[in-house]
PDB file of all heavy atoms in Angstrom:
ATOM      1  N   VAL W 246    -129.268  46.630 -61.190  1.00 91.00           N
ATOM      2  CA  VAL W 246    -128.034  45.802 -61.152  1.00 91.00           C
ATOM      3  C   VAL W 246    -126.828  46.647 -61.613  1.00 91.00           C
ATOM      4  O   VAL W 246    -125.749  46.605 -60.982  1.00 91.00           O
ATOM      5  CB  VAL W 246    -128.220  44.579 -62.076  1.00 91.00           C
ATOM      6  CG1 VAL W 246    -126.888  43.843 -62.211  1.00 91.00           C
ATOM      7  CG2 VAL W 246    -129.263  43.636 -61.507  1.00 91.00           C
ATOM      8  N   VAL W 247    -126.991  47.404 -62.700  1.00 93.00           N
ATOM      9  CA  VAL W 247    -125.881  48.264 -63.194  1.00 93.00           C
ATOM     10  C   VAL W 247    -125.484  49.287 -62.178  1.00 93.00           C
ATOM     11  O   VAL W 247    -124.285  49.564 -61.938  1.00 93.00           O
ATOM     12  CB  VAL W 247    -126.337  48.910 -64.494  1.00 93.00           C
ATOM     13  CG1 VAL W 247    -125.409  50.045 -64.856  1.00 93.00           C
ATOM     14  CG2 VAL W 247    -126.319  47.868 -65.636  1.00 93.00           C
ATOM     15  N   LEU W 248    -126.474  49.905 -61.469  1.00 95.00           N
ATOM     16  CA  LEU W 248    -126.127  50.923 -60.522  1.00 95.00           C
ATOM     17  C   LEU W 248    -125.390  50.322 -59.296  1.00 95.00           C
ATOM     18  O   LEU W 248    -124.491  50.997 -58.763  1.00 95.00           O
ATOM     19  CB  LEU W 248    -127.390  51.641 -60.030  1.00 95.00           C
ATOM     20  CG  LEU W 248    -128.049  52.575 -61.064  1.00 95.00           C
ATOM     21  CD1 LEU W 248    -129.368  53.150 -60.503  1.00 95.00           C
ATOM     22  CD2 LEU W 248    -127.114  53.686 -61.480  1.00 95.00           C
ATOM     23  N   VAL W 249    -125.794  49.139 -58.908  1.00 94.00           N
ATOM     24  CA  VAL W 249    -125.103  48.500 -57.784  1.00 94.00           C
ATOM     25  C   VAL W 249    -123.631  48.192 -58.148  1.00 94.00           C
ATOM     26  O   VAL W 249    -122.717  48.474 -57.364  1.00 94.00           O
ATOM     27  CB  VAL W 249    -125.839  47.203 -57.339  1.00 94.00           C
ATOM     28  CG1 VAL W 249    -124.986  46.363 -56.400  1.00 94.00           C
ATOM     29  CG2 VAL W 249    -127.170  47.533 -56.690  1.00 94.00           C
ATOM     30  N   LEU W 250    -123.400  47.666 -59.339  1.00 92.00           N
ATOM     31  CA  LEU W 250    -122.071  47.372 -59.820  1.00 92.00           C
ATOM     32  C   LEU W 250    -121.235  48.682 -59.903  1.00 92.00           C
ATOM     33  O   LEU W 250    -120.079  48.717 -59.497  1.00 92.00           O
ATOM     34  CB  LEU W 250    -122.116  46.650 -61.143  1.00 92.00           C
ATOM     35  CG  LEU W 250    -122.703  45.243 -61.162  1.00 92.00           C
ATOM     36  CD1 LEU W 250    -122.847  44.739 -62.605  1.00 92.00           C
ATOM     37  CD2 LEU W 250    -121.831  44.298 -60.326  1.00 92.00           C
ATOM     38  N   GLY W 251    -121.867  49.715 -60.426  1.00 93.00           N
ATOM     39  CA  GLY W 251    -121.177  50.985 -60.562  1.00 93.00           C
ATOM     40  C   GLY W 251    -120.831  51.628 -59.243  1.00 93.00           C
ATOM     41  O   GLY W 251    -119.747  52.192 -59.047  1.00 93.00           O
ATOM     42  N   ALA W 252    -121.756  51.538 -58.289  1.00 94.00           N
ATOM     43  CA  ALA W 252    -121.513  52.076 -56.934  1.00 94.00           C
ATOM     44  C   ALA W 252    -120.342  51.422 -56.305  1.00 94.00           C
ATOM     45  O   ALA W 252    -119.533  52.067 -55.597  1.00 94.00           O
ATOM     46  CB  ALA W 252    -122.761  51.977 -56.089  1.00 94.00           C
ATOM     47  N   SER W 253    -120.170  50.099 -56.532  1.00 93.00           N
ATOM     48  CA  SER W 253    -119.043  49.392 -55.992  1.00 93.00           C
ATOM     49  C   SER W 253    -117.750  49.928 -56.594  1.00 93.00           C
ATOM     50  O   SER W 253    -116.709  50.074 -55.881  1.00 93.00           O
ATOM     51  CB  SER W 253    -119.186  47.890 -56.292  1.00 93.00           C
ATOM     52  OG  SER W 253    -120.361  47.342 -55.720  1.00 93.00           O
ATOM     53  N   ALA W 254    -117.775  50.228 -57.883  1.00 91.00           N
ATOM     54  CA  ALA W 254    -116.565  50.755 -58.551  1.00 91.00           C
ATOM     55  C   ALA W 254    -116.226  52.164 -57.997  1.00 91.00           C
ATOM     56  O   ALA W 254    -115.028  52.459 -57.783  1.00 91.00           O
ATOM     57  CB  ALA W 254    -116.776  50.774 -60.040  1.00 91.00           C
ATOM     58  N   VAL W 255    -117.208  52.994 -57.846  1.00 92.00           N
ATOM     59  CA  VAL W 255    -117.010  54.329 -57.299  1.00 92.00           C
ATOM     60  C   VAL W 255    -116.437  54.243 -55.895  1.00 92.00           C
ATOM     61  O   VAL W 255    -115.457  54.958 -55.537  1.00 92.00           O
ATOM     62  CB  VAL W 255    -118.334  55.133 -57.281  1.00 92.00           C
ATOM     63  CG1 VAL W 255    -118.114  56.511 -56.581  1.00 92.00           C
ATOM     64  CG2 VAL W 255    -118.819  55.377 -58.708  1.00 92.00           C
ATOM     65  N   LEU W 256    -116.966  53.408 -55.070  1.00 93.00           N
ATOM     66  CA  LEU W 256    -116.464  53.222 -53.702  1.00 93.00           C
ATOM     67  C   LEU W 256    -115.024  52.778 -53.707  1.00 93.00           C
ATOM     68  O   LEU W 256    -114.179  53.212 -52.928  1.00 93.00           O
ATOM     69  CB  LEU W 256    -117.350  52.247 -52.941  1.00 93.00           C
ATOM     70  CG  LEU W 256    -116.983  51.964 -51.499  1.00 93.00           C
ATOM     71  CD1 LEU W 256    -117.065  53.283 -50.655  1.00 93.00           C
ATOM     72  CD2 LEU W 256    -117.868  50.887 -50.884  1.00 93.00           C
ATOM     73  N   GLY W 257    -114.729  51.842 -54.639  1.00 89.00           N
ATOM     74  CA  GLY W 257    -113.367  51.345 -54.733  1.00 89.00           C
ATOM     75  C   GLY W 257    -112.379  52.467 -55.074  1.00 89.00           C
ATOM     76  O   GLY W 257    -111.237  52.521 -54.540  1.00 89.00           O
ATOM     77  N   THR W 258    -112.711  53.342 -56.029  1.00 86.00           N
ATOM     78  CA  THR W 258    -111.829  54.425 -56.340  1.00 86.00           C
ATOM     79  C   THR W 258    -111.671  55.471 -55.222  1.00 86.00           C
ATOM     80  O   THR W 258    -110.600  56.084 -55.134  1.00 86.00           O
ATOM     81  CB  THR W 258    -112.340  55.181 -57.608  1.00 86.00           C
ATOM     82  OG1 THR W 258    -113.685  55.685 -57.373  1.00 86.00           O
ATOM     83  CG2 THR W 258    -112.389  54.262 -58.811  1.00 86.00           C
ATOM     84  N   LEU W 259    -112.673  55.617 -54.399  1.00 89.00           N
ATOM     85  CA  LEU W 259    -112.565  56.509 -53.240  1.00 89.00           C
ATOM     86  C   LEU W 259    -111.648  55.941 -52.166  1.00 89.00           C
ATOM     87  O   LEU W 259    -110.850  56.641 -51.541  1.00 89.00           O
ATOM     88  CB  LEU W 259    -113.964  56.837 -52.673  1.00 89.00           C
ATOM     89  CG  LEU W 259    -114.847  57.742 -53.477  1.00 89.00           C
ATOM     90  CD1 LEU W 259    -116.268  57.747 -52.942  1.00 89.00           C
ATOM     91  CD2 LEU W 259    -114.280  59.168 -53.472  1.00 89.00           C
ATOM     92  N   VAL W 260    -111.787  54.626 -51.958  1.00 87.00           N
ATOM     93  CA  VAL W 260    -111.019  53.979 -50.901  1.00 87.00           C
ATOM     94  C   VAL W 260    -109.567  53.755 -51.316  1.00 87.00           C
ATOM     95  O   VAL W 260    -108.641  53.899 -50.514  1.00 87.00           O
ATOM     96  CB  VAL W 260    -111.662  52.614 -50.503  1.00 87.00           C
ATOM     97  CG1 VAL W 260    -110.783  51.886 -49.495  1.00 87.00           C
ATOM     98  CG2 VAL W 260    -113.047  52.888 -49.901  1.00 87.00           C
ATOM     99  N   LEU W 261    -109.379  53.397 -52.594  1.00 84.00           N
ATOM    100  CA  LEU W 261    -108.053  53.064 -53.085  1.00 84.00           C
ATOM    101  C   LEU W 261    -107.734  53.920 -54.330  1.00 84.00           C
ATOM    102  O   LEU W 261    -107.616  53.382 -55.463  1.00 84.00           O
ATOM    103  CB  LEU W 261    -107.978  51.584 -53.458  1.00 84.00           C
ATOM    104  CG  LEU W 261    -108.232  50.572 -52.292  1.00 84.00           C
ATOM    105  CD1 LEU W 261    -108.384  49.175 -52.855  1.00 84.00           C
ATOM    106  CD2 LEU W 261    -107.075  50.678 -51.297  1.00 84.00           C
ATOM    107  N   PRO W 262    -107.507  55.224 -54.142  1.00 78.00           N
ATOM    108  CA  PRO W 262    -107.216  56.070 -55.326  1.00 78.00           C
ATOM    109  C   PRO W 262    -105.894  55.712 -56.015  1.00 78.00           C
ATOM    110  O   PRO W 262    -105.753  55.836 -57.224  1.00 78.00           O
ATOM    111  CB  PRO W 262    -107.149  57.490 -54.705  1.00 78.00           C
ATOM    112  CG  PRO W 262    -106.868  57.267 -53.260  1.00 78.00           C
ATOM    113  CD  PRO W 262    -107.543  56.001 -52.902  1.00 78.00           C
ATOM    114  N   GLY W 263    -104.914  55.233 -55.221  1.00 77.00           N
ATOM    115  CA  GLY W 263    -103.646  54.819 -55.800  1.00 77.00           C
ATOM    116  C   GLY W 263    -103.784  53.678 -56.766  1.00 77.00           C
ATOM    117  O   GLY W 263    -103.173  53.601 -57.803  1.00 77.00           O
ATOM    118  N   LEU W 264    -104.655  52.715 -56.344  1.00 78.00           N
ATOM    119  CA  LEU W 264    -104.905  51.540 -57.188  1.00 78.00           C
ATOM    120  C   LEU W 264    -105.612  51.976 -58.508  1.00 78.00           C
ATOM    121  O   LEU W 264    -105.300  51.470 -59.561  1.00 78.00           O
ATOM    122  CB  LEU W 264    -105.760  50.556 -56.453  1.00 78.00           C
ATOM    123  CG  LEU W 264    -106.091  49.270 -57.171  1.00 78.00           C
ATOM    124  CD1 LEU W 264    -104.849  48.475 -57.515  1.00 78.00           C
ATOM    125  CD2 LEU W 264    -107.015  48.346 -56.375  1.00 78.00           C
ATOM    126  N   ALA W 265    -106.537  52.920 -58.366  1.00 74.00           N
ATOM    127  CA  ALA W 265    -107.211  53.436 -59.589  1.00 74.00           C
ATOM    128  C   ALA W 265    -106.223  54.095 -60.536  1.00 74.00           C
ATOM    129  O   ALA W 265    -106.302  53.902 -61.752  1.00 74.00           O
ATOM    130  CB  ALA W 265    -108.308  54.410 -59.170  1.00 74.00           C
ATOM    131  N   GLU W 266    -105.238  54.786 -59.960  1.00 75.00           N
ATOM    132  CA  GLU W 266    -104.218  55.423 -60.812  1.00 75.00           C
ATOM    133  C   GLU W 266    -103.359  54.414 -61.487  1.00 75.00           C
ATOM    134  O   GLU W 266    -103.025  54.535 -62.680  1.00 75.00           O
ATOM    135  CB  GLU W 266    -103.362  56.327 -59.898  1.00 75.00           C
ATOM    136  CG  GLU W 266    -102.509  57.286 -60.625  1.00 75.00           C
ATOM    137  CD  GLU W 266    -101.834  58.274 -59.665  1.00 75.00           C
ATOM    138  OE1 GLU W 266    -102.490  59.222 -59.269  1.00 75.00           O
ATOM    139  OE2 GLU W 266    -100.645  58.067 -59.345  1.00 75.00           O
ATOM    140  N   SER W 267    -102.984  53.344 -60.772  1.00 74.00           N
ATOM    141  CA  SER W 267    -102.196  52.276 -61.385  1.00 74.00           C
ATOM    142  C   SER W 267    -103.017  51.553 -62.415  1.00 74.00           C
ATOM    143  O   SER W 267    -102.488  51.136 -63.478  1.00 74.00           O
ATOM    144  CB  SER W 267    -101.766  51.268 -60.297  1.00 74.00           C
ATOM    145  OG  SER W 267    -100.974  51.895 -59.339  1.00 74.00           O
ATOM    146  N   PHE W 268    -104.337  51.377 -62.182  1.00 73.00           N
ATOM    147  CA  PHE W 268    -105.230  50.770 -63.161  1.00 73.00           C
ATOM    148  C   PHE W 268    -105.192  51.517 -64.495  1.00 73.00           C
ATOM    149  O   PHE W 268    -105.252  50.909 -65.575  1.00 73.00           O
ATOM    150  CB  PHE W 268    -106.637  50.749 -62.578  1.00 73.00           C
ATOM    151  CG  PHE W 268    -107.674  50.192 -63.504  1.00 73.00           C
ATOM    152  CD1 PHE W 268    -107.946  48.845 -63.541  1.00 73.00           C
ATOM    153  CD2 PHE W 268    -108.470  51.029 -64.295  1.00 73.00           C
ATOM    154  CE1 PHE W 268    -108.903  48.327 -64.389  1.00 73.00           C
ATOM    155  CE2 PHE W 268    -109.425  50.549 -65.164  1.00 73.00           C
ATOM    156  CZ  PHE W 268    -109.641  49.147 -65.154  1.00 73.00           C
ATOM    157  N   VAL W 269    -105.128  52.835 -64.422  1.00 72.00           N
ATOM    158  CA  VAL W 269    -105.132  53.644 -65.641  1.00 72.00           C
ATOM    159  C   VAL W 269    -103.850  53.564 -66.393  1.00 72.00           C
ATOM    160  O   VAL W 269    -103.829  53.410 -67.589  1.00 72.00           O
ATOM    161  CB  VAL W 269    -105.464  55.087 -65.279  1.00 72.00           C
ATOM    162  CG1 VAL W 269    -105.207  56.017 -66.476  1.00 72.00           C
ATOM    163  CG2 VAL W 269    -106.907  55.232 -64.826  1.00 72.00           C
ATOM    164  N   GLY W 270    -102.703  53.635 -65.733  1.00 63.00           N
ATOM    165  CA  GLY W 270    -101.444  53.660 -66.461  1.00 63.00           C
ATOM    166  C   GLY W 270    -100.196  53.916 -65.626  1.00 63.00           C
ATOM    167  O   GLY W 270     -99.118  54.004 -66.217  1.00 63.00           O
ATOM    168  N   GLY W 271    -100.315  54.072 -64.311  1.00 65.00           N
ATOM    169  CA  GLY W 271     -99.144  54.185 -63.502  1.00 65.00           C
ATOM    170  C   GLY W 271     -98.697  55.591 -63.242  1.00 65.00           C
ATOM    171  O   GLY W 271     -99.471  56.558 -63.244  1.00 65.00           O
ATOM    172  N   SER W 272     -97.408  55.792 -62.963  1.00 66.00           N
ATOM    173  CA  SER W 272     -96.865  57.010 -62.408  1.00 66.00           C
ATOM    174  C   SER W 272     -97.021  58.201 -63.362  1.00 66.00           C
ATOM    175  O   SER W 272     -97.015  59.356 -62.953  1.00 66.00           O
ATOM    176  CB  SER W 272     -95.393  56.812 -62.075  1.00 66.00           C
ATOM    177  OG  SER W 272     -94.617  56.416 -63.200  1.00 66.00           O
ATOM    178  N   GLU W 273     -97.076  57.954 -64.654  1.00 70.00           N
ATOM    179  CA  GLU W 273     -97.207  59.068 -65.621  1.00 70.00           C
ATOM    180  C   GLU W 273     -98.564  59.730 -65.534  1.00 70.00           C
ATOM    181  O   GLU W 273     -98.773  60.831 -66.076  1.00 70.00           O
ATOM    182  CB  GLU W 273     -96.933  58.568 -67.017  1.00 70.00           C
ATOM    183  CG  GLU W 273     -95.467  58.184 -67.282  1.00 70.00           C
ATOM    184  CD  GLU W 273     -95.192  58.044 -68.760  1.00 70.00           C
ATOM    185  OE1 GLU W 273     -94.965  59.046 -69.446  1.00 70.00           O
ATOM    186  OE2 GLU W 273     -95.194  56.877 -69.236  1.00 70.00           O
ATOM    187  N   TYR W 274     -99.512  59.087 -64.844  1.00 73.00           N
ATOM    188  CA  TYR W 274    -100.836  59.651 -64.703  1.00 73.00           C
ATOM    189  C   TYR W 274    -101.075  60.095 -63.264  1.00 73.00           C
ATOM    190  O   TYR W 274    -102.190  60.005 -62.728  1.00 73.00           O
ATOM    191  CB  TYR W 274    -101.888  58.622 -65.146  1.00 73.00           C
ATOM    192  CG  TYR W 274    -101.773  58.246 -66.608  1.00 73.00           C
ATOM    193  CD1 TYR W 274    -100.825  57.279 -67.013  1.00 73.00           C
ATOM    194  CD2 TYR W 274    -102.566  58.861 -67.558  1.00 73.00           C
ATOM    195  CE1 TYR W 274    -100.690  56.976 -68.347  1.00 73.00           C
ATOM    196  CE2 TYR W 274    -102.432  58.557 -68.889  1.00 73.00           C
ATOM    197  CZ  TYR W 274    -101.530  57.599 -69.289  1.00 73.00           C
ATOM    198  OH  TYR W 274    -101.379  57.267 -70.624  1.00 73.00           O
ATOM    199  N   VAL W 275     -99.999  60.566 -62.621  1.00 68.00           N
ATOM    200  CA  VAL W 275    -100.062  60.978 -61.209  1.00 68.00           C
ATOM    201  C   VAL W 275    -101.100  62.108 -60.999  1.00 68.00           C
ATOM    202  O   VAL W 275    -101.223  62.995 -61.839  1.00 68.00           O
ATOM    203  CB  VAL W 275     -98.646  61.430 -60.731  1.00 68.00           C
ATOM    204  CG1 VAL W 275     -98.180  62.637 -61.493  1.00 68.00           C
ATOM    205  CG2 VAL W 275     -98.637  61.702 -59.238  1.00 68.00           C
ATOM    206  N   GLY W 276    -101.821  62.038 -59.938  1.00 68.00           N
ATOM    207  CA  GLY W 276    -102.857  63.026 -59.618  1.00 68.00           C
ATOM    208  C   GLY W 276    -104.206  62.578 -60.038  1.00 68.00           C
ATOM    209  O   GLY W 276    -105.229  63.080 -59.536  1.00 68.00           O
ATOM    210  N   LEU W 277    -104.310  61.638 -60.994  1.00 76.00           N
ATOM    211  CA  LEU W 277    -105.597  61.166 -61.492  1.00 76.00           C
ATOM    212  C   LEU W 277    -106.368  60.378 -60.438  1.00 76.00           C
ATOM    213  O   LEU W 277    -107.578  60.417 -60.429  1.00 76.00           O
ATOM    214  CB  LEU W 277    -105.388  60.369 -62.782  1.00 76.00           C
ATOM    215  CG  LEU W 277    -106.702  59.844 -63.451  1.00 76.00           C
ATOM    216  CD1 LEU W 277    -107.636  60.993 -63.824  1.00 76.00           C
ATOM    217  CD2 LEU W 277    -106.375  59.007 -64.662  1.00 76.00           C
ATOM    218  N   GLY W 278    -105.641  59.677 -59.562  1.00 73.00           N
ATOM    219  CA  GLY W 278    -106.244  58.808 -58.596  1.00 73.00           C
ATOM    220  C   GLY W 278    -107.268  59.530 -57.737  1.00 73.00           C
ATOM    221  O   GLY W 278    -108.329  58.967 -57.407  1.00 73.00           O
ATOM    222  N   HIS W 279    -107.012  60.784 -57.307  1.00 79.00           N
ATOM    223  CA  HIS W 279    -107.966  61.467 -56.431  1.00 79.00           C
ATOM    224  C   HIS W 279    -109.204  61.979 -57.194  1.00 79.00           C
ATOM    225  O   HIS W 279    -110.164  62.400 -56.551  1.00 79.00           O
ATOM    226  CB  HIS W 279    -107.229  62.674 -55.815  1.00 79.00           C
ATOM    227  CG  HIS W 279    -106.131  62.259 -54.886  1.00 79.00           C
ATOM    228  ND1 HIS W 279    -106.346  61.571 -53.690  1.00 79.00           N
ATOM    229  CD2 HIS W 279    -104.743  62.396 -55.013  1.00 79.00           C
ATOM    230  CE1 HIS W 279    -105.172  61.341 -53.125  1.00 79.00           C
ATOM    231  NE2 HIS W 279    -104.217  61.814 -53.900  1.00 79.00           N
ATOM    232  N   GLU W 280    -109.138  61.948 -58.503  1.00 83.00           N
ATOM    233  CA  GLU W 280    -110.298  62.320 -59.313  1.00 83.00           C
ATOM    234  C   GLU W 280    -110.963  61.124 -59.997  1.00 83.00           C
ATOM    235  O   GLU W 280    -111.914  61.293 -60.774  1.00 83.00           O
ATOM    236  CB  GLU W 280    -109.872  63.369 -60.353  1.00 83.00           C
ATOM    237  CG  GLU W 280    -109.295  64.649 -59.754  1.00 83.00           C
ATOM    238  CD  GLU W 280    -108.699  65.552 -60.783  1.00 83.00           C
ATOM    239  OE1 GLU W 280    -108.332  65.065 -61.899  1.00 83.00           O
ATOM    240  OE2 GLU W 280    -108.583  66.762 -60.503  1.00 83.00           O
ATOM    241  N   ALA W 281    -110.434  59.960 -59.715  1.00 87.00           N
ATOM    242  CA  ALA W 281    -110.875  58.707 -60.388  1.00 87.00           C
ATOM    243  C   ALA W 281    -112.380  58.477 -60.126  1.00 87.00           C
ATOM    244  O   ALA W 281    -113.100  57.980 -60.984  1.00 87.00           O
ATOM    245  CB  ALA W 281    -110.051  57.504 -59.943  1.00 87.00           C
ATOM    246  N   TRP W 282    -112.844  58.840 -58.909  1.00 90.00           N
ATOM    247  CA  TRP W 282    -114.256  58.577 -58.574  1.00 90.00           C
ATOM    248  C   TRP W 282    -115.226  59.326 -59.473  1.00 90.00           C
ATOM    249  O   TRP W 282    -116.322  58.893 -59.744  1.00 90.00           O
ATOM    250  CB  TRP W 282    -114.534  58.903 -57.124  1.00 90.00           C
ATOM    251  CG  TRP W 282    -114.487  60.389 -56.815  1.00 90.00           C
ATOM    252  CD1 TRP W 282    -113.368  61.124 -56.471  1.00 90.00           C
ATOM    253  CD2 TRP W 282    -115.551  61.296 -56.835  1.00 90.00           C
ATOM    254  NE1 TRP W 282    -113.723  62.442 -56.276  1.00 90.00           N
ATOM    255  CE2 TRP W 282    -115.062  62.574 -56.507  1.00 90.00           C
ATOM    256  CE3 TRP W 282    -116.934  61.140 -57.073  1.00 90.00           C
ATOM    257  CZ2 TRP W 282    -115.855  63.681 -56.461  1.00 90.00           C
ATOM    258  CZ3 TRP W 282    -117.749  62.282 -57.023  1.00 90.00           C
ATOM    259  CH2 TRP W 282    -117.214  63.507 -56.679  1.00 90.00           C
ATOM    260  N   VAL W 283    -114.743  60.464 -60.003  1.00 91.00           N
ATOM    261  CA  VAL W 283    -115.575  61.287 -60.889  1.00 91.00           C
ATOM    262  C   VAL W 283    -115.782  60.512 -62.181  1.00 91.00           C
ATOM    263  O   VAL W 283    -116.900  60.430 -62.747  1.00 91.00           O
ATOM    264  CB  VAL W 283    -115.016  62.657 -61.169  1.00 91.00           C
ATOM    265  CG1 VAL W 283    -115.860  63.462 -62.093  1.00 91.00           C
ATOM    266  CG2 VAL W 283    -114.722  63.403 -59.846  1.00 91.00           C
ATOM    267  N   PHE W 284    -114.725  59.918 -62.705  1.00 92.00           N
ATOM    268  CA  PHE W 284    -114.803  59.160 -63.928  1.00 92.00           C
ATOM    269  C   PHE W 284    -115.621  57.904 -63.750  1.00 92.00           C
ATOM    270  O   PHE W 284    -116.384  57.469 -64.640  1.00 92.00           O
ATOM    271  CB  PHE W 284    -113.407  58.839 -64.467  1.00 92.00           C
ATOM    272  CG  PHE W 284    -112.675  60.042 -65.017  1.00 92.00           C
ATOM    273  CD1 PHE W 284    -111.787  60.758 -64.240  1.00 92.00           C
ATOM    274  CD2 PHE W 284    -112.899  60.486 -66.275  1.00 92.00           C
ATOM    275  CE1 PHE W 284    -111.102  61.855 -64.726  1.00 92.00           C
ATOM    276  CE2 PHE W 284    -112.286  61.621 -66.802  1.00 92.00           C
ATOM    277  CZ  PHE W 284    -111.345  62.281 -66.019  1.00 92.00           C
ATOM    278  N   ALA W 285    -115.444  57.217 -62.603  1.00 92.00           N
ATOM    279  CA  ALA W 285    -116.215  56.017 -62.328  1.00 92.00           C
ATOM    280  C   ALA W 285    -117.691  56.361 -62.215  1.00 92.00           C
ATOM    281  O   ALA W 285    -118.587  55.620 -62.671  1.00 92.00           O
ATOM    282  CB  ALA W 285    -115.726  55.360 -61.013  1.00 92.00           C
ATOM    283  N   SER W 286    -118.016  57.510 -61.605  1.00 94.00           N
ATOM    284  CA  SER W 286    -119.399  57.942 -61.503  1.00 94.00           C
ATOM    285  C   SER W 286    -119.994  58.230 -62.882  1.00 94.00           C
ATOM    286  O   SER W 286    -121.150  57.874 -63.187  1.00 94.00           O
ATOM    287  CB  SER W 286    -119.542  59.222 -60.624  1.00 94.00           C
ATOM    288  OG  SER W 286    -119.036  58.968 -59.333  1.00 94.00           O
ATOM    289  N   GLU W 287    -119.160  58.893 -63.732  1.00 95.00           N
ATOM    290  CA  GLU W 287    -119.660  59.199 -65.097  1.00 95.00           C
ATOM    291  C   GLU W 287    -119.966  57.912 -65.865  1.00 95.00           C
ATOM    292  O   GLU W 287    -120.993  57.781 -66.481  1.00 95.00           O
ATOM    293  CB  GLU W 287    -118.540  59.965 -65.815  1.00 95.00           C
ATOM    294  CG  GLU W 287    -118.912  60.368 -67.243  1.00 95.00           C
ATOM    295  CD  GLU W 287    -117.769  60.989 -67.998  1.00 95.00           C
ATOM    296  OE1 GLU W 287    -116.591  60.631 -67.724  1.00 95.00           O
ATOM    297  OE2 GLU W 287    -118.009  61.780 -68.883  1.00 95.00           O
TER     298      GLU W 287
END
């Protein structure tokens, strides 16, 4: 169950990296969106 939920989060960060960046804190965290899937996988 945990892996299925986590896989959904990883997929979401890959499809919507900008949203992941906004989720973290906005424009001051620019560039993090493209690496967000690594943190979601972790």
